[in-house]
Amino acid sequence: MPAPSGPDLPTFEWLGDAALTVRTPLARELYASLRARPLSGVQEAVPALNLLTLLLDAPTAGEAVQEAIAARLATLTPAPGGSGRRVVVPVTFGGPDLDWCAAHAGLDRAAFVAALCAAQLEVAFLGFTPGFAFLTGLPEPLRMPRLDAPRERVPAGSVALGGPWAGVYPRETPGGWRLVGRTAMNFFDLSRAAPVPWQPGDRVQFEARA
């Protein structure tokens, strides 16, 4: 039987027979709940914006998992914005697109950097490449159009703006966002107990460094 749907109710969609997507405004809260209290039958949960993809141990777990997720969601309430840990990212500003972005925002370079460092950002979800976080919370003037053609190589540690998002490239990859600085922080390191230093819901702030 299909799950009930509506603006505030979850919708479920199967990806093959061993993966289930859950679309809900409480995706972040559900992800945190599953990390704290794992659910039998769920091997992994992959978060996105208002979406959680569940990878199941076996196809036979599907119906029971869907019922358990619906029951779990009924116990959750929206978490306050930025309720996670605080992560400060030291940034040396001066990327190839910094002056262009400042002009686009109608600010000089110093004012643009100050505005970006004052922005209260939050990890919405992880994706694109391991350790890459889509950071939400940019004020409208700091939201930058993506490049018409992506760069073939974006250096690791590049701090970038693209549409409503800010982010940091954990490793060298192609990329189409505007580059405004660099950080020495390592956002993906398999030698650490926690390879990725941030999770959805964490509060993020850039800090200018010389």
Side-chain angles (χ1 to χ4, degrees), residues 34-205:
L34 291 174
R35 284 172 60 85
R37 293 184 294 124
L39 189 64
S40 177
V42 176
Q43 186 176 53
E44 185 178 357
V46 182
L49 189 61
N50 294 332
L51 186 74
L52 200 64
T53 299
L54 307 179
L55 307 182
L56 309 183
D57 290 333
T60 54
E63 186 174 344
V65 166
Q66 182 169 326
E67 292 176 357
I69 290 295
R72 181 77 64 93
L73 281 168
T75 70
L76 302 178
T77 56
S83 58
R85 300 164 303 162
R86 181 171 183 262
V87 180
V88 176
V89 179
V91 179
T92 300
F93 286 95
D97 301 315
L98 177 59
D99 290 333
W100 187 96
C101 290
H104 187 79
L107 301 170
D108 63 28
R109 178 190 282 226
F112 180 83
V113 168
L116 189 54
C117 289
Q120 303 299 307
L121 306 175
E122 181 180 342
V123 177
F125 59 97
L126 303 176
F128 171 59
T129 193
F132 188 94
F134 287 80
L135 305 178
T136 188
L138 281 177
E140 185 65 37
L142 303 185
R143 299 179 182 185
M144 297 294 136
R146 295 171 173 85
L147 297 173
D148 292 334
R151 292 180 171 95
E152 293 184 3
R153 297 173 62 185
V154 174
S158 294
V159 176
L161 307 175
W165 308 106
V168 180
Y169 287 83
R171 60 192 181 94
E172 184 180 288
T173 62
W177 291 14
R178 307 279 175 174
L179 307 184
V180 297
R182 295 281 299 275
T183 180
M185 282 187 70
N186 186 345
F187 290 94
F188 185 66
D189 185 351
L190 289 174
S191 70
R192 297 187 304 226
V196 177
W198 47 18
Q199 293 295 329
D202 285 350
R203 296 168 291 126
V204 179
Q205 192 158 14

